[in-house]
Structures are given as C-alpha cells and as structure tokens.
Amino acid sequence: MKKTALFALVVICFQTFCLPLQQSFAQDVKTLAATDLPDSHVYLEKAMKNSRPDHSRQIEALLKKMTLEEKVGQMTQLALVMIVSGRDQNVKADPEKLEKAIVKYGVGSILNVSDQALTVDKWREIIGEIQNASAKTRLKIPNIYGIDSIHGANYVRGATLFPQQIGMAATWNPILMQKASEITAMETRAAAIPWTFSPVLDLGRQPLWARYWETFGEDAYLAKVMGAAFVRGIEGNDLKSENHVAASLKHYVGYSMPLTGRDRTPAWIPENYMREYFLPPFETAVKSGARTVMVNSAEVNGIPGHVNKYLLTDVLKNEYKFDGFVVSDWEDIKKLVTFWKIAKDEKEATMMAINAGIDMSMVPADYSFADYTIQLVREKKIPMTRIDDAVRRILRVKYELGLFENPMPSESAKNNFGKAEYAQYSLEAARESLVLLKNQNNILPLPKNKKVLVTGPTADSLISLNNGWTWVWQGSEESLYPNKPTIQKAIEQKLGGKNFEFVQGTKITRPPNTPSNGTPTDIDVEVDVKKAVEEAKDSDVVVLCLGEGSYTETPGNITDLTLSETQLRFAEAIIATGKPVILVMVEGRPRIINRIADKVSGILLALNPSSEGGTAIADVLFGDYNPNGKLPFTYPRNPNNLIMYDHKLFETEETGFGNAANKAQFDFGTGLSYTTISYSNLRLSSKSLPMDGELTVSVDVKNTGNRGGKESAILYLRDEYATMAPAGKRVKRFAKVSLNAGQTKTLTFKLNKDDFSFVGMNGKPVLEAGDFTVTIGGLSDKFTLK
C-alpha cells in the first residue's frame, strides 16, 4: 500500500472511530461539569438510600464449620512483606511465606505495598497467588486485600489521581466527588484489590495536623455530604460489581483534633462536641452503606481509640447499626503497650481491643495477634460470641464483595483502567478545587502577551501538587511520577514558549535517607535567588509559587504554621522589584503568609490538586477557566490565631475582651470569580414556626458579569440564644450551580427540627424555642421557633 493511501486510511479511521470517541469523552466531562447541585440535602438523602443482599444463611452455615483457629485467622491482617520476597517491581509471592500465612494461620486479609506502587498486572499476579493459596485451605475462604486508595488508586502505577480530599472539599461538588470515587474504585478493582482504606472523615479543625489535607475541612455538614459522595462512588449499588470496592471510614473518631497538633497525640473532646462535630460524618457514611471502619490511632479523653468500647460498640455498632467490620490501624494493638501504657503486655492489649469491638487486627508483621487471641478464648477471657460476631462481620463483607464466587476479577476488568477520559475528569476536579483568594484591581486573568516570570519552590514540582499517598507512602519519589506538566511547564505551553521565563529561586528538598521518625524532613534551600530577582525586574508580572512538599502522618509534624523563612525572604525579594506578583500557594494545610499577603496583587490557592494541577492552574491564571472553588476551612492570619468559622460571635468582635484583631487571613467560604454574582429576594416560608415545623428558604442567584461561571451558595443558620452558648453560624445547606452571563436561578432549601437543634451536655439533641437567623450570599432574615 502506498504511503499516501495508508495515511488517508489512518485519517479516515481516526475521524470515524477515535475522534467521535474523544468527543464523547469530552462531552461526558462537559455534561458533568455543567450539572447543578440545587440542594446538598436532597443529594445526601438519596446517598443514604441503599440496600444490600442478605447472606445470613451462608454466613451462619460457614461459621458453624469453622474451628477457633480458622476464625481467628479471619481476624488477622498482615502486611504484604510477610508473604513476598524482592523489592519494587521485582516483588513476588514467596511460596514458603505464603504457605505459613494463608494455609497454616488462615490469615484473612493482606494489605499495603512492599516499597512502591505496582502495575496492574503485578498486583493481579501477587493477589492471584494469595487467592490460590486461600483456595487450598479447608474451607476455601477468600482473602480480602486492602490498600490506601486515597486520591485515586495511588498504589497502582499509571492510575488516575485526583485532588486530595481537602481540594475536593474546596469544589463543594459532591457529584464530582462521587465520579472521582467511581473511577478510583474501577482502577483499584482492576488490580484485583477489593477494599480501600478511605475516605478520611476526620474533621480538619486543627490545621497544624500533618493529615489535615486528607480531610474535607472544618465543617461537619460539608464533610457529611462529601463523605457520603465518596462512599457511594466507591461502593456503588452492587459491591460484587467489578466496578466497585469496599470503603473504610477513618479514623474513627477524634483523631484529627490533637491538642498539640502533632500526629497520634491525645485529643480532649467533650461528649456533646463529639456528637455535634466529629461523629456525624461517620454516622452519615455508615447510613450511606460503608462496609468497614478503621480506628483512631490516638486517644480521646484519655482512652485510646482501640479500647474505647463506648465508641466502637455502643455507638458505632449498636446505636448506628453498623454491621460491617472494624479494623485496627497499623500495629495499634501493640502500641496499647508501647505507646499508651494501658496494658502490661500485648496479650492483655489484644484482649482489651477485641472485647472493645475490634474485629480485625492490622498486626501487621508477625503472628502474635492470632496466637494470643486463641489463648485468650481458651482461657475464657474473650467470649466465643465476640469472636463469632467479628468473623460474621468479616464474612459478610467478603460475601457482599462476591469474593466467594470470584476471588479475582476477570481480565476484562483491566479495561476499566487508565481510560482516556479519566484524565479529563481529574482536570475538571483540579480546576474546581482552585480557590482565588485575592484579585487586586482585577489583575487576573493575565493577558498572554505579557512577559511572565514563573519562580518558586512549587513551580516545577509534581510532588507538591500531589502530596503524600502518591506512588509511595510519603509521595516523595519524583521518579515514579507520570509525565504531566508542572505549573511552570503548563504556563510555558499556554504561552507557546514566548514571553516566558522560569527560574527556580528556592527549592524544597528532602535529604537522602531521612528517617520517618516524626521530625520534619523537607527543608527549603536557596538555588538561584539573585537570578530570579533580576529576571523579575525584566518581566511584566511574576507568578510566585510557594508552599509545601509532600508529607503525611508523623513525618509531616511541624511546630509552626508559618511558611518557611527561606520562602518568605525570597517572596519579599521578588515583591521588592515592584513588579505585580501573583502568589500561587500549593499546600495541604494553610501556611501563614501574613508578611506577604497584603503585598501581592493576586493569590490563588492550590490544595494538592493532583498531577493535572499544573494545567488547571495555568487555565485559571490566563482565563481559560473561571475559578469557582471556595475555602472549606478558615485560613489563619497568625500561628496562634486558629479560629474556626463557627466561633462565638464575641471572639472576633470588640466587646471588651480585646478580640477585634482576632481575624482570619481569609474566611471560610471565601472564593472569588472572574464574573460577579448577586443574591436577591431571600424568602422564608414563615416567620413563625412550630417546634416540629419545616421552613422553606428560597433565594435568587444571578450572574451579573459578562462571562459564565459557577457559584457555591452556602446557607448558614444561627441560633440567636440557647441554653448552651450557640455558634455564630453553622452550615446547614449548600448548592452549586452553573450560571451563564445574565442568568438567574432560584434556589430552594428546606430546614427542619434536626437543623434547629443542638447537642446538649447529655449527648442528646436539644430543640428550644427562640429566634434564628438564616444567612446566604450576604442576605439575612429571621424566624422564630415556638
């Protein structure tokens, strides 16, 4: 065939098959992006409607056949290193280790990676060996493999990554969250992994915390909605489907509120605050169908999470009717002895944890849990009824996942991995997650004919765009990242290589062989500051990219939220050139920037928007996308001024207590746009309501600008006085809508007694008569509950 004819044939094939397929992908993403969320509560109520098949008959029949040793084996979870040899991509199942774990001990679950993310085929090879070994056991009970798919299937090479949860919270878009989770589930199950240790439902109310970026922010209601969306996307309506996996809610409960801000340290949370703030996201996710729960590694009110029978059994299992299983976190039963000192030895700790409600122990590196549990049952220190209850729960999830029928997904499940359109969904999520915090004199969007200098430690870093849980635990292995554009590369592409200059300036580095011992590992170093300053003088505008590297858990502990002195000095040197500066903060927690915030012309916040974040940031900076993200937390101005949005009113007012200066750098819900949005015609269905009445709230939202955009409308409610000092305001509903230039949409919400009540000192809801204020979009109106 002649080359011209061959070329013509290729073109015809592309136009006939590939182009329509690409266009349909783009149309699907465009449709999703344009889908309105008219009322968060309607979405939430729908998410909590789910049903599951009843496998009780099969479970009870199997349970009767099981020996004590087989039951305890199901309660045991070991790390992958216990059954493999080799490293990195050369890791493989070790027959001798596998025989001991699966056949001798009957271990019911394996977790984690050996060193780094593996390919789909390598995962299927290893898990296939595990399931084959399980099939050789007396009762042939399949294994359940668990992994941390935190922001995508991040331990599967080539998987699609999405913004971290704090970024997804900034979208205020549960529809998008659900779609991201659906893709995550498909790519996780394609690798033969049926269980993910996500979502994180801890509240982000302590910004020092190293896992702050893994949360949905500081508000319980937003976390409830986004958490339910995550669960529905991950689990779907049929866990047996090769499109879904089991979720694990973590870290139950109160883990995210350490007094010191340091990971795995004590929290003090009164019962009424626990039920008002920290428990609701978990309760809602349980009602949304979540099948497993992972436990808080720390302690609350002096009681370590792993022995808190009140929270694990009385509340979670009995009050919330949770019938899935509870898994410990990494080595946390052992830590009851070594860290928390509440047991004299591991055997006693094992007894305490199981009797409190732990169903499966993430041991993870020896067989002590199984040995001690068998001894304790025989000594009648753990009742057989407790063992049977734990195993019944574990078997229920395995049946619901279809593992007894198909312990391995079909080869065709791999077709769900790495589809072209997934990257477009990730890009849309990254775009919606970006929050424009400052736009002085409408300096943004930038024109493409101006000379731009891009500089700073996060300008050329995929690591900063992603953070931890990315290919490796700490997200720190740059060589594993895909070929995606960083911020500076995306801007260079946007400008066609013209009017563009990149100078590193400073760099975030991690010294080689840094131990993960709870100390900060990243350091900021100057690279070519003088060159950056000189280039700034010769530019029309500077895009200054600051922020953080990657971290999670104890390696991310810090003692001061203030941005590093190296970065601040560099920023001040750039600002001193007199050129307009656009500050892009790439971070997972709000680092203090009060020294420079008032001196820059624009501020764009990028909350770990993933590997598509570079493209998304360039799109926003140059006006190819209209930003619409809003802060899911309060951005502090000072390191000792960590105030939440729902503080008491007097805390930020001059009322004789000297609190007028107690102001945030940026308030919760802040987020600018390139268009203008106005609210009008706020209407309440009644100004007087009976105690069990329902209030309808309506408001008109109009795009008064000259370009289309999206708006997240947040409805707040304030109880004007109560027998317990009320919050200044609380989020009760929200909506996210697309508005063309000049378009108006009417939003309608319904509030009821659950919204009007608060949790009293006895831990029960309290509904009181009195005055309430509804606020949305700067408009307010009052009603009275009688």
Side-chain angles (χ1 to χ4, degrees), residues 360-381:
M360 179 183 286
S361 173
M362 192 183 291
V363 186
D366 60 36
Y367 294 93
S368 57
F369 172 81
D371 293 337
Y372 287 136
T373 302
I374 291 168
Q375 293 174 26
L376 289 161
V377 174
R378 288 175 175 161
E379 293 168 4
K380 300 190 183 304
K381 293 180 179 178

Side-chain angles (χ1 to χ4, degrees), residues 581-596:
V581 175
I582 307 302
L583 175 60
V584 178
M585 289 298 297
V586 185
E587 57 190 1
R589 56 191 159 192
R591 304 305 292 264
I592 304 298
I593 54 172
N594 60 43
R595 268 170 55 179
I596 59 176

Side-chain angles (χ1 to χ4, degrees), residues 174-190:
I175 298 172
L176 190 56
M177 179 73 261
Q178 182 171 333
K179 184 63 180 181
S181 297
E182 288 170 357
I183 292 171
T184 297
M186 287 189 285
E187 294 199 318
T188 302
R189 197 71 182 250

Side-chain angles (χ1 to χ4, degrees), residues 244-256:
H244 295 285
V245 298
S248 188
L249 314 178
K250 63 184 192 183
H251 306 80
Y252 183 83
V253 57
Y255 176 44
S256 60

Side-chain angles (χ1 to χ4, degrees), residues 73-77 102 106-110 142-145 360 398:
Q74 288 300 304
M75 298 170 66
T76 304
Q77 185 181 59
I102 306 300
V107 169
S109 181
I110 306 293
N143 198 275
I144 180 170
Y145 203 102
M360 179 183 286
K398 290 186 176 185

Side-chain angles (χ1 to χ4, degrees), residues 268-345:
W268 294 356
I269 307 174
E271 171 78 0
N272 63 312
Y273 272 36
M274 180 68 81
R275 288 183 174 273
E276 189 80 66
Y277 293 95
F278 296 92
L279 279 170
F282 287 94
E283 180 183 11
T284 300
V286 166
K287 291 178 179 178
S288 299
R291 303 314 298 128
T292 76
V293 168
M294 185 183 291
V295 183
N296 174 7
S297 290
E299 68 164 41
V300 175
N301 303 333
I303 305 175
H306 286 73
V307 295
N308 197 322
K309 186 174 183 180
Y310 169 70
L311 288 173
L312 293 175
T313 298
D314 297 348
V315 176
L316 179 63
K317 293 181 176 180
N318 294 340
E319 184 178 334
Y320 295 167
K321 309 300 181 186
F322 174 67
D323 62 357
F325 69 86
V326 174
V327 61
S328 81
D329 205 342
W330 188 270
E331 210 176 43
D332 276 338
I333 291 181
K334 294 177 183 291
K335 289 174 184 173
L336 294 172
V337 181
T338 58
F339 279 31
W340 302 109
K341 307 292 185 181
I342 66 159
K344 66 178 183 293
D345 54 34

